[in-house]
Amino acid sequence: MRRFVSLLLLSVRSKHKHVSLQKPYVSVIWFISYSLSLKLPPQSHSKVRRVVKMSATEVTSSRISYESFAIKPPEHPTYDLKGIIKLALEEDAGDRGDVTCLATIPFDMEVEAYFLAKEDGIIAGIALAEMIFHEVDPSLKVEWSKNDGDFVHKGLQFGRVHGRAHNIVVAERVVLNFMQRMSGTATLTKAMANAAYPAYMLETRKTAPGLRLVDKWAVLIGGGRNHRMGLFDMVMIKDNHISAAGGVADALKAVDLYLEQNNLQMEVEVETRTLEEVEEVLHYSSQTKTSLTRIMLDNMVVPLPNGDVDISMLKEAVQLINGRYETEASSNVTLDTVHKIGQSGVTYISSGSLTHSVKALDISLKIDTELALKVGRRTGRA
């Protein structure tokens, strides 16, 4: 029977690597052993209630309610955000869990840790951080003085988490990895969206693999708008489609036929690279009923040797379209050029740089904030 109990302990450990539950698992075994009239160490008895509480979280629904979030994530029909959180925790825990915490932090120690901004920027990922802490240990208490989308300045303590030190430290890096990336995206998006006005700022599908929804959520938090989520929610006829179809008009005709045959209604965007292609699209749409909603004006922003850009071709294309369709400027979009592009009359400006080359915002989570601030001031990071 004792061999059965030992095997049960090994099985339980293998399934829950990211949370330190060594002693509570002993409590579960005590409970089973007690039921089987076995005698195990009496000190485990006091932990039974805690184990029951933690075990209950394993059978809760995997669905997530976004109603309380300051800024809700974009919708995706198959994306499993909770699954992404679990994957991030599991890749960190490996097959042993946090061996350093097991060695150095007493199991029952409780602490407070504080979130510290080490540079100015827009904070993002607060709602996601709460989900991660809850996944690791639902008893952790998290409080914030800022919301997603708020500005934080260097040296600001903007949140705190209270509870078991072990589980706070286990969650720390995963929480910060998401928050720093999202905050970097939100910070750049905010700057570009403000400069692009009156045009709206969009990201692209150039996101980190597996983090599509998270990256696009950060863009929303930063004040941008979302482009299509994936290949499924918008028809976007790009250069390769046009080449394969035999031309821009043929590609549009094929799309219109496909949507009609399959009884689908969705937005349709076509990429144009020359004024001649713009005119071809307009001619086609003037002769045929079409589902076209937006024309992309790609590479019509021409970089100049002095670092400026020439937008004369872009403006001419916008004038040709004359409000009949939404327009989107793409390529050669930077923080330095986006304001000028926004004055061209385009509806949208898209930039892959919002997500594909994001610079993470420097954030830390510290138990000893006094020492952290002292070190930060010495290195210019607080």
Side-chain angles (χ1 to χ4, degrees), residues 192-255:
M192 294 189 78
N194 287 345
Y197 184 83
Y200 298 109
M201 201 69 214
L202 304 172
E203 86 295 75
T204 68
R205 284 169 48 241
K206 296 174 183 176
T207 54
L211 297 182
R212 176 67 54 82
L213 184 139
V214 174
D215 280 353
K216 285 179 172 281
W217 190 4
V219 169
L220 290 180
I221 291 171
R225 295 197 179 189
N226 288 151
H227 211 306
R228 60 175 178 161
M229 179 60 66
L231 301 173
F232 59 91
D233 57 333
M234 179 184 192
V235 175
M236 190 165 175
I237 309 168
K238 293 180 68 71
D239 51 0
N240 285 333
H241 304 111
I242 292 168
S243 298
V248 66
D250 288 333
L252 269 171
K253 183 177 180 181
V255 165

Short mmCIF file of all heavy atoms in Angstrom, two decimals, residues 192-255:
data_model
loop_
_atom_site.label_atom_id
_atom_site.label_comp_id
_atom_site.label_asym_id
_atom_site.label_seq_id
_atom_site.Cartn_x
_atom_site.Cartn_y
_atom_site.Cartn_z
N MET A 192 2.87 56.18 -32.27
CA MET A 192 2.59 56.21 -33.70
C MET A 192 1.14 56.58 -33.98
O MET A 192 0.85 57.30 -34.94
CB MET A 192 2.94 54.86 -34.33
CG MET A 192 4.44 54.57 -34.30
SD MET A 192 4.93 53.11 -35.25
CE MET A 192 4.91 53.77 -36.92
N ALA A 193 0.23 56.11 -33.14
CA ALA A 193 -1.19 56.45 -33.33
C ALA A 193 -1.42 57.94 -33.15
O ALA A 193 -2.19 58.56 -33.90
CB ALA A 193 -2.05 55.65 -32.36
N ASN A 194 -0.77 58.54 -32.18
CA ASN A 194 -0.90 59.99 -31.97
C ASN A 194 -0.33 60.76 -33.15
O ASN A 194 -0.91 61.76 -33.61
CB ASN A 194 -0.18 60.40 -30.69
CG ASN A 194 -0.91 59.97 -29.43
OD1 ASN A 194 -2.09 59.60 -29.48
ND2 ASN A 194 -0.22 59.99 -28.30
N ALA A 195 0.81 60.29 -33.67
CA ALA A 195 1.44 60.99 -34.79
C ALA A 195 0.68 60.79 -36.09
O ALA A 195 0.71 61.67 -36.96
CB ALA A 195 2.88 60.51 -34.94
N ALA A 196 0.00 59.66 -36.24
CA ALA A 196 -0.68 59.33 -37.51
C ALA A 196 -1.99 60.08 -37.69
O ALA A 196 -2.49 60.17 -38.82
CB ALA A 196 -0.96 57.83 -37.56
N TYR A 197 -2.55 60.61 -36.63
CA TYR A 197 -3.85 61.27 -36.71
C TYR A 197 -3.89 62.29 -37.86
O TYR A 197 -2.92 63.02 -38.06
CB TYR A 197 -4.15 61.97 -35.38
CG TYR A 197 -5.51 62.59 -35.32
CD1 TYR A 197 -6.63 61.84 -34.99
CD2 TYR A 197 -5.68 63.95 -35.62
CE1 TYR A 197 -7.89 62.43 -34.95
CE2 TYR A 197 -6.93 64.54 -35.58
CZ TYR A 197 -8.03 63.77 -35.25
OH TYR A 197 -9.28 64.34 -35.22
N PRO A 198 -4.98 62.31 -38.63
CA PRO A 198 -6.28 61.67 -38.43
C PRO A 198 -6.40 60.24 -38.97
O PRO A 198 -7.49 59.65 -38.90
CB PRO A 198 -7.24 62.59 -39.20
CG PRO A 198 -6.40 63.10 -40.33
CD PRO A 198 -5.02 63.26 -39.77
N ALA A 199 -5.34 59.67 -39.51
CA ALA A 199 -5.38 58.28 -39.94
C ALA A 199 -5.34 57.37 -38.71
O ALA A 199 -4.84 57.75 -37.65
CB ALA A 199 -4.20 57.97 -40.86
N TYR A 200 -5.87 56.15 -38.86
CA TYR A 200 -5.84 55.17 -37.79
C TYR A 200 -4.64 54.25 -37.97
O TYR A 200 -4.29 53.89 -39.09
CB TYR A 200 -7.12 54.34 -37.78
CG TYR A 200 -8.38 55.14 -37.53
CD1 TYR A 200 -9.29 55.36 -38.56
CD2 TYR A 200 -8.65 55.66 -36.28
CE1 TYR A 200 -10.45 56.09 -38.35
CE2 TYR A 200 -9.81 56.40 -36.05
CZ TYR A 200 -10.71 56.61 -37.09
OH TYR A 200 -11.85 57.34 -36.87
N MET A 201 -4.05 53.85 -36.85
CA MET A 201 -2.86 53.00 -36.88
C MET A 201 -3.25 51.54 -36.74
O MET A 201 -3.99 51.16 -35.84
CB MET A 201 -1.93 53.40 -35.73
CG MET A 201 -0.50 52.99 -35.93
SD MET A 201 0.29 53.94 -37.25
CE MET A 201 1.37 52.68 -37.92
N LEU A 202 -2.71 50.71 -37.63
CA LEU A 202 -2.96 49.26 -37.62
C LEU A 202 -1.65 48.50 -37.48
O LEU A 202 -0.60 48.96 -37.95
CB LEU A 202 -3.61 48.80 -38.93
CG LEU A 202 -4.91 49.46 -39.38
CD1 LEU A 202 -5.26 48.97 -40.79
CD2 LEU A 202 -6.05 49.13 -38.42
N GLU A 203 -1.73 47.30 -36.87
CA GLU A 203 -0.62 46.37 -36.94
C GLU A 203 -0.84 45.43 -38.13
O GLU A 203 -1.73 45.66 -38.94
CB GLU A 203 -0.46 45.61 -35.61
CG GLU A 203 -1.31 44.36 -35.44
CD GLU A 203 -2.79 44.61 -35.41
OE1 GLU A 203 -3.36 44.88 -36.49
OE2 GLU A 203 -3.39 44.52 -34.34
N THR A 204 -0.05 44.37 -38.23
CA THR A 204 -0.19 43.39 -39.31
C THR A 204 -0.22 41.99 -38.69
O THR A 204 -0.37 41.84 -37.48
CB THR A 204 0.98 43.49 -40.31
OG1 THR A 204 2.18 43.06 -39.66
CG2 THR A 204 1.15 44.93 -40.79
N ARG A 205 -0.04 40.97 -39.52
CA ARG A 205 0.06 39.59 -39.03
C ARG A 205 1.50 39.23 -38.67
O ARG A 205 1.80 38.07 -38.38
CB ARG A 205 -0.46 38.60 -40.07
CG ARG A 205 -1.98 38.55 -40.16
CD ARG A 205 -2.48 37.77 -41.38
NE ARG A 205 -1.85 36.49 -41.54
CZ ARG A 205 -1.12 36.14 -42.61
NH1 ARG A 205 -0.93 36.98 -43.60
NH2 ARG A 205 -0.59 34.94 -42.69
N LYS A 206 2.39 40.20 -38.65
CA LYS A 206 3.79 39.94 -38.32
C LYS A 206 3.96 39.94 -36.80
O LYS A 206 4.59 40.81 -36.20
CB LYS A 206 4.69 40.99 -38.97
CG LYS A 206 4.64 40.92 -40.50
CD LYS A 206 5.42 42.05 -41.14
CE LYS A 206 5.29 42.01 -42.67
NZ LYS A 206 5.97 43.15 -43.33
N THR A 207 3.37 38.92 -36.19
CA THR A 207 3.38 38.76 -34.74
C THR A 207 4.25 37.57 -34.36
O THR A 207 4.59 36.74 -35.22
CB THR A 207 1.95 38.54 -34.22
OG1 THR A 207 1.36 37.43 -34.93
CG2 THR A 207 1.09 39.77 -34.44
N ALA A 208 4.59 37.45 -33.09
CA ALA A 208 5.35 36.30 -32.62
C ALA A 208 4.49 35.05 -32.74
O ALA A 208 3.32 35.07 -32.35
CB ALA A 208 5.80 36.50 -31.18
N PRO A 209 5.03 33.95 -33.28
CA PRO A 209 4.24 32.72 -33.40
C PRO A 209 3.64 32.30 -32.06
O PRO A 209 4.33 32.26 -31.05
CB PRO A 209 5.27 31.70 -33.89
CG PRO A 209 6.29 32.51 -34.62
CD PRO A 209 6.38 33.80 -33.84
N GLY A 210 2.34 32.04 -32.07
CA GLY A 210 1.65 31.65 -30.85
C GLY A 210 1.15 32.80 -30.01
O GLY A 210 0.35 32.60 -29.09
N LEU A 211 1.59 34.02 -30.31
CA LEU A 211 1.20 35.18 -29.50
C LEU A 211 0.35 36.18 -30.30
O LEU A 211 0.31 37.36 -29.97
CB LEU A 211 2.45 35.90 -28.95
CG LEU A 211 3.32 35.09 -27.99
CD1 LEU A 211 4.47 35.95 -27.49
CD2 LEU A 211 2.51 34.56 -26.81
N ARG A 212 -0.31 35.70 -31.35
CA ARG A 212 -1.09 36.59 -32.22
C ARG A 212 -2.08 37.44 -31.43
O ARG A 212 -2.11 38.67 -31.54
CB ARG A 212 -1.82 35.74 -33.27
CG ARG A 212 -2.77 36.50 -34.21
CD ARG A 212 -2.05 37.44 -35.14
NE ARG A 212 -1.01 36.77 -35.91
CZ ARG A 212 -1.22 36.05 -37.03
NH1 ARG A 212 -2.45 35.91 -37.50
NH2 ARG A 212 -0.21 35.51 -37.68
N LEU A 213 -2.89 36.79 -30.60
CA LEU A 213 -3.92 37.55 -29.87
C LEU A 213 -3.27 38.48 -28.84
O LEU A 213 -3.72 39.62 -28.66
CB LEU A 213 -4.89 36.58 -29.19
CG LEU A 213 -6.08 37.22 -28.47
CD1 LEU A 213 -7.35 36.41 -28.72
CD2 LEU A 213 -5.83 37.35 -26.98
N VAL A 214 -2.23 38.02 -28.18
CA VAL A 214 -1.56 38.84 -27.16
C VAL A 214 -0.95 40.09 -27.79
O VAL A 214 -1.08 41.20 -27.28
CB VAL A 214 -0.49 38.01 -26.44
CG1 VAL A 214 0.32 38.89 -25.48
CG2 VAL A 214 -1.13 36.85 -25.67
N ASP A 215 -0.26 39.92 -28.92
CA ASP A 215 0.36 41.07 -29.60
C ASP A 215 -0.69 42.07 -30.08
O ASP A 215 -0.53 43.29 -29.95
CB ASP A 215 1.18 40.58 -30.79
CG ASP A 215 2.55 40.04 -30.38
OD1 ASP A 215 2.91 40.16 -29.20
OD2 ASP A 215 3.26 39.51 -31.25
N LYS A 216 -1.78 41.56 -30.64
CA LYS A 216 -2.82 42.45 -31.14
C LYS A 216 -3.60 43.11 -29.99
O LYS A 216 -4.08 44.24 -30.13
CB LYS A 216 -3.76 41.68 -32.07
CG LYS A 216 -3.13 41.40 -33.43
CD LYS A 216 -4.07 40.62 -34.34
CE LYS A 216 -3.49 40.51 -35.75
NZ LYS A 216 -3.70 41.74 -36.54
N TRP A 217 -3.71 42.43 -28.88
CA TRP A 217 -4.32 43.01 -27.68
C TRP A 217 -3.50 44.21 -27.22
O TRP A 217 -4.04 45.27 -26.88
CB TRP A 217 -4.37 41.95 -26.60
CG TRP A 217 -5.17 42.28 -25.37
CD1 TRP A 217 -5.91 43.42 -25.14
CD2 TRP A 217 -5.30 41.46 -24.21
NE1 TRP A 217 -6.50 43.35 -23.90
CE2 TRP A 217 -6.14 42.17 -23.30
CE3 TRP A 217 -4.81 40.22 -23.84
CZ2 TRP A 217 -6.48 41.64 -22.06
CZ3 TRP A 217 -5.15 39.70 -22.61
CH2 TRP A 217 -5.98 40.40 -21.73
N ALA A 218 -2.17 44.08 -27.25
CA ALA A 218 -1.29 45.18 -26.84
C ALA A 218 -1.46 46.40 -27.75
O ALA A 218 -1.39 47.54 -27.28
CB ALA A 218 0.16 44.71 -26.86
N VAL A 219 -1.70 46.17 -29.04
CA VAL A 219 -1.94 47.28 -29.97
C VAL A 219 -3.22 48.03 -29.58
O VAL A 219 -3.25 49.27 -29.57
CB VAL A 219 -2.02 46.77 -31.42
CG1 VAL A 219 -2.54 47.85 -32.36
CG2 VAL A 219 -0.64 46.28 -31.88
N LEU A 220 -4.26 47.30 -29.24
CA LEU A 220 -5.50 47.94 -28.79
C LEU A 220 -5.26 48.75 -27.52
O LEU A 220 -5.75 49.87 -27.39
CB LEU A 220 -6.57 46.88 -28.52
CG LEU A 220 -7.17 46.14 -29.72
CD1 LEU A 220 -8.22 45.14 -29.24
CD2 LEU A 220 -7.78 47.11 -30.72
N ILE A 221 -4.50 48.19 -26.59
CA ILE A 221 -4.22 48.88 -25.33
C ILE A 221 -3.46 50.18 -25.60
O ILE A 221 -3.65 51.19 -24.92
CB ILE A 221 -3.43 47.96 -24.39
CG1 ILE A 221 -4.34 46.82 -23.91
CG2 ILE A 221 -2.88 48.73 -23.19
CD1 ILE A 221 -3.62 45.71 -23.15
N GLY A 222 -2.60 50.17 -26.63
CA GLY A 222 -1.83 51.36 -26.98
C GLY A 222 -2.58 52.38 -27.81
O GLY A 222 -2.02 53.43 -28.14
N GLY A 223 -3.84 52.11 -28.13
CA GLY A 223 -4.64 53.09 -28.87
C GLY A 223 -4.69 52.86 -30.36
O GLY A 223 -5.21 53.70 -31.10
N GLY A 224 -4.15 51.74 -30.83
CA GLY A 224 -4.25 51.41 -32.24
C GLY A 224 -5.51 50.62 -32.54
O GLY A 224 -6.33 50.37 -31.64
N ARG A 225 -5.64 50.21 -33.77
CA ARG A 225 -6.75 49.34 -34.19
C ARG A 225 -6.18 48.05 -34.76
O ARG A 225 -5.02 48.02 -35.17
CB ARG A 225 -7.63 50.04 -35.22
CG ARG A 225 -8.36 51.26 -34.66
CD ARG A 225 -9.51 51.66 -35.56
NE ARG A 225 -10.23 52.81 -35.03
CZ ARG A 225 -11.37 53.26 -35.53
NH1 ARG A 225 -11.92 52.68 -36.59
NH2 ARG A 225 -11.97 54.32 -35.00
N ASN A 226 -6.99 47.02 -34.74
CA ASN A 226 -6.54 45.73 -35.25
C ASN A 226 -6.83 45.56 -36.73
O ASN A 226 -7.93 45.88 -37.20
CB ASN A 226 -7.21 44.58 -34.50
CG ASN A 226 -6.69 44.41 -33.08
OD1 ASN A 226 -7.41 43.96 -32.20
ND2 ASN A 226 -5.44 44.77 -32.85
N HIS A 227 -5.83 45.09 -37.46
CA HIS A 227 -6.03 44.60 -38.83
C HIS A 227 -6.67 43.22 -38.70
O HIS A 227 -7.06 42.80 -37.60
CB HIS A 227 -4.70 44.57 -39.57
CG HIS A 227 -4.83 44.81 -41.05
ND1 HIS A 227 -5.68 44.07 -41.84
CD2 HIS A 227 -4.22 45.71 -41.87
CE1 HIS A 227 -5.58 44.49 -43.10
NE2 HIS A 227 -4.71 45.50 -43.14
N ARG A 228 -6.77 42.48 -39.79
CA ARG A 228 -7.36 41.14 -39.71
C ARG A 228 -6.60 40.29 -38.70
O ARG A 228 -5.39 40.40 -38.54
CB ARG A 228 -7.37 40.47 -41.08
CG ARG A 228 -5.99 40.29 -41.70
CD ARG A 228 -6.07 39.52 -42.99
NE ARG A 228 -4.74 39.39 -43.61
CZ ARG A 228 -4.42 38.50 -44.53
NH1 ARG A 228 -5.34 37.65 -44.96
NH2 ARG A 228 -3.21 38.45 -45.04
N MET A 229 -7.36 39.42 -38.02
CA MET A 229 -6.74 38.56 -37.02
C MET A 229 -5.92 37.45 -37.67
O MET A 229 -4.86 37.07 -37.18
CB MET A 229 -7.84 37.95 -36.14
CG MET A 229 -7.33 37.00 -35.07
SD MET A 229 -6.17 37.76 -33.90
CE MET A 229 -7.26 38.91 -33.08
N GLY A 230 -6.41 36.94 -38.80
CA GLY A 230 -5.71 35.86 -39.47
C GLY A 230 -6.17 35.73 -40.91
O GLY A 230 -6.69 36.68 -41.51
N LEU A 231 -6.03 34.54 -41.44
CA LEU A 231 -6.39 34.28 -42.83
C LEU A 231 -7.89 34.08 -43.02
O LEU A 231 -8.35 34.01 -44.16
CB LEU A 231 -5.65 33.02 -43.32
CG LEU A 231 -4.12 33.07 -43.26
CD1 LEU A 231 -3.55 31.69 -43.62
CD2 LEU A 231 -3.59 34.14 -44.21
N PHE A 232 -8.63 33.99 -41.92
CA PHE A 232 -10.01 33.53 -41.95
C PHE A 232 -11.06 34.64 -41.89
O PHE A 232 -12.22 34.41 -42.23
CB PHE A 232 -10.25 32.58 -40.77
CG PHE A 232 -9.99 33.23 -39.43
CD1 PHE A 232 -10.99 33.88 -38.74
CD2 PHE A 232 -8.71 33.21 -38.87
CE1 PHE A 232 -10.75 34.50 -37.53
CE2 PHE A 232 -8.45 33.82 -37.66
CZ PHE A 232 -9.46 34.46 -36.99
N ASP A 233 -10.69 35.83 -41.42
CA ASP A 233 -11.70 36.83 -41.09
C ASP A 233 -11.76 38.00 -42.06
O ASP A 233 -12.53 38.93 -41.86
CB ASP A 233 -11.51 37.35 -39.66
CG ASP A 233 -10.12 37.94 -39.43
OD1 ASP A 233 -9.18 37.53 -40.13
OD2 ASP A 233 -9.98 38.80 -38.54
N MET A 234 -10.94 37.98 -43.09
CA MET A 234 -10.95 39.05 -44.09
C MET A 234 -10.26 38.53 -45.34
O MET A 234 -9.26 37.80 -45.25
CB MET A 234 -10.21 40.28 -43.56
CG MET A 234 -10.13 41.45 -44.52
SD MET A 234 -9.13 42.80 -43.82
CE MET A 234 -9.51 44.12 -44.98
N VAL A 235 -10.78 38.87 -46.50
CA VAL A 235 -10.08 38.56 -47.74
C VAL A 235 -9.06 39.67 -47.99
O VAL A 235 -9.42 40.85 -48.03
CB VAL A 235 -11.05 38.46 -48.93
CG1 VAL A 235 -10.27 38.26 -50.24
CG2 VAL A 235 -12.03 37.32 -48.73
N MET A 236 -7.81 39.30 -48.13
CA MET A 236 -6.77 40.28 -48.40
C MET A 236 -5.95 39.80 -49.60
O MET A 236 -5.14 38.89 -49.49
CB MET A 236 -5.87 40.48 -47.18
CG MET A 236 -4.92 41.64 -47.32
SD MET A 236 -4.22 42.07 -45.71
CE MET A 236 -3.06 43.34 -46.20
N ILE A 237 -6.20 40.42 -50.75
CA ILE A 237 -5.56 40.01 -51.99
C ILE A 237 -4.22 40.71 -52.10
O ILE A 237 -4.14 41.92 -52.33
CB ILE A 237 -6.45 40.39 -53.21
CG1 ILE A 237 -7.88 39.89 -53.01
CG2 ILE A 237 -5.85 39.84 -54.49
CD1 ILE A 237 -8.87 40.45 -54.02
N LYS A 238 -3.13 39.94 -51.92
CA LYS A 238 -1.79 40.52 -51.95
C LYS A 238 -1.08 40.18 -53.26
O LYS A 238 -1.66 39.54 -54.14
CB LYS A 238 -1.00 40.03 -50.73
CG LYS A 238 -1.58 40.57 -49.42
CD LYS A 238 -0.81 40.08 -48.22
CE LYS A 238 0.57 40.67 -48.15
NZ LYS A 238 0.58 42.10 -47.81
N ASP A 239 0.16 40.61 -53.35
CA ASP A 239 0.89 40.51 -54.61
C ASP A 239 0.97 39.09 -55.17
O ASP A 239 0.80 38.88 -56.38
CB ASP A 239 2.29 41.11 -54.47
CG ASP A 239 3.06 40.56 -53.26
OD1 ASP A 239 2.50 39.71 -52.53
OD2 ASP A 239 4.21 40.98 -53.06
N ASN A 240 1.20 38.11 -54.29
CA ASN A 240 1.30 36.73 -54.78
C ASN A 240 -0.03 36.20 -55.30
O ASN A 240 -0.08 35.44 -56.26
CB ASN A 240 1.83 35.81 -53.68
CG ASN A 240 3.33 35.99 -53.46
OD1 ASN A 240 4.06 36.38 -54.37
ND2 ASN A 240 3.79 35.71 -52.25
N HIS A 241 -1.12 36.60 -54.64
CA HIS A 241 -2.44 36.21 -55.15
C HIS A 241 -2.68 36.81 -56.53
O HIS A 241 -3.21 36.15 -57.44
CB HIS A 241 -3.55 36.68 -54.19
CG HIS A 241 -3.40 36.20 -52.78
ND1 HIS A 241 -3.08 37.04 -51.75
CD2 HIS A 241 -3.52 34.96 -52.24
CE1 HIS A 241 -3.02 36.34 -50.62
NE2 HIS A 241 -3.28 35.08 -50.89
N ILE A 242 -2.32 38.09 -56.67
CA ILE A 242 -2.52 38.80 -57.94
C ILE A 242 -1.70 38.15 -59.04
O ILE A 242 -2.19 37.91 -60.16
CB ILE A 242 -2.15 40.29 -57.77
CG1 ILE A 242 -3.16 40.97 -56.83
CG2 ILE A 242 -2.11 41.00 -59.12
CD1 ILE A 242 -2.74 42.35 -56.37
N SER A 243 -0.46 37.81 -58.74
CA SER A 243 0.41 37.17 -59.74
C SER A 243 -0.16 35.82 -60.15
O SER A 243 -0.17 35.47 -61.34
CB SER A 243 1.83 37.00 -59.18
OG SER A 243 2.41 38.26 -58.89
N ALA A 244 -0.61 35.03 -59.18
CA ALA A 244 -1.14 33.70 -59.48
C ALA A 244 -2.46 33.76 -60.24
O ALA A 244 -2.75 32.90 -61.08
CB ALA A 244 -1.31 32.91 -58.19
N ALA A 245 -3.26 34.80 -59.96
CA ALA A 245 -4.59 34.91 -60.59
C ALA A 245 -4.52 35.52 -61.98
O ALA A 245 -5.49 35.44 -62.74
CB ALA A 245 -5.51 35.76 -59.71
N GLY A 246 -3.39 36.15 -62.34
CA GLY A 246 -3.25 36.73 -63.67
C GLY A 246 -3.47 38.22 -63.73
O GLY A 246 -3.53 38.79 -64.82
N GLY A 247 -3.59 38.88 -62.58
CA GLY A 247 -3.78 40.33 -62.58
C GLY A 247 -4.73 40.74 -61.47
O GLY A 247 -5.47 39.91 -60.92
N VAL A 248 -4.74 42.02 -61.16
CA VAL A 248 -5.52 42.50 -60.04
C VAL A 248 -7.02 42.37 -60.30
O VAL A 248 -7.79 41.98 -59.40
CB VAL A 248 -5.12 43.95 -59.68
CG1 VAL A 248 -5.48 44.93 -60.78
CG2 VAL A 248 -5.75 44.38 -58.37
N ALA A 249 -7.47 42.65 -61.50
CA ALA A 249 -8.90 42.54 -61.80
C ALA A 249 -9.35 41.07 -61.77
O ALA A 249 -10.44 40.76 -61.27
CB ALA A 249 -9.21 43.16 -63.17
N ASP A 250 -8.52 40.18 -62.29
CA ASP A 250 -8.86 38.75 -62.27
C ASP A 250 -8.92 38.22 -60.84
O ASP A 250 -9.77 37.39 -60.51
CB ASP A 250 -7.83 37.95 -63.08
CG ASP A 250 -7.95 38.18 -64.58
OD1 ASP A 250 -9.07 38.50 -65.05
OD2 ASP A 250 -6.94 38.07 -65.29
N ALA A 251 -8.03 38.70 -60.00
CA ALA A 251 -8.04 38.27 -58.59
C ALA A 251 -9.32 38.75 -57.89
O ALA A 251 -9.95 38.00 -57.15
CB ALA A 251 -6.81 38.81 -57.87
N LEU A 252 -9.70 39.99 -58.14
CA LEU A 252 -10.93 40.52 -57.55
C LEU A 252 -12.16 39.77 -58.04
O LEU A 252 -13.07 39.44 -57.26
CB LEU A 252 -11.07 42.01 -57.89
CG LEU A 252 -10.48 43.01 -56.90
CD1 LEU A 252 -10.50 44.41 -57.50
CD2 LEU A 252 -11.25 42.98 -55.58
N LYS A 253 -12.18 39.47 -59.33
CA LYS A 253 -13.30 38.73 -59.91
C LYS A 253 -13.42 37.35 -59.27
O LYS A 253 -14.53 36.89 -58.95
CB LYS A 253 -13.11 38.60 -61.42
CG LYS A 253 -14.26 37.91 -62.14
CD LYS A 253 -14.01 37.88 -63.65
CE LYS A 253 -15.16 37.19 -64.38
NZ LYS A 253 -14.93 37.15 -65.85
N ALA A 254 -12.28 36.68 -59.06
CA ALA A 254 -12.28 35.36 -58.44
C ALA A 254 -12.79 35.41 -57.00
O ALA A 254 -13.52 34.53 -56.55
CB ALA A 254 -10.88 34.77 -58.49
N VAL A 255 -12.41 36.45 -56.28
CA VAL A 255 -12.87 36.61 -54.90
C VAL A 255 -14.37 36.84 -54.85
O VAL A 255 -15.09 36.24 -54.05
CB VAL A 255 -12.11 37.76 -54.21
CG1 VAL A 255 -12.81 38.18 -52.92
CG2 VAL A 255 -10.68 37.35 -53.92
#
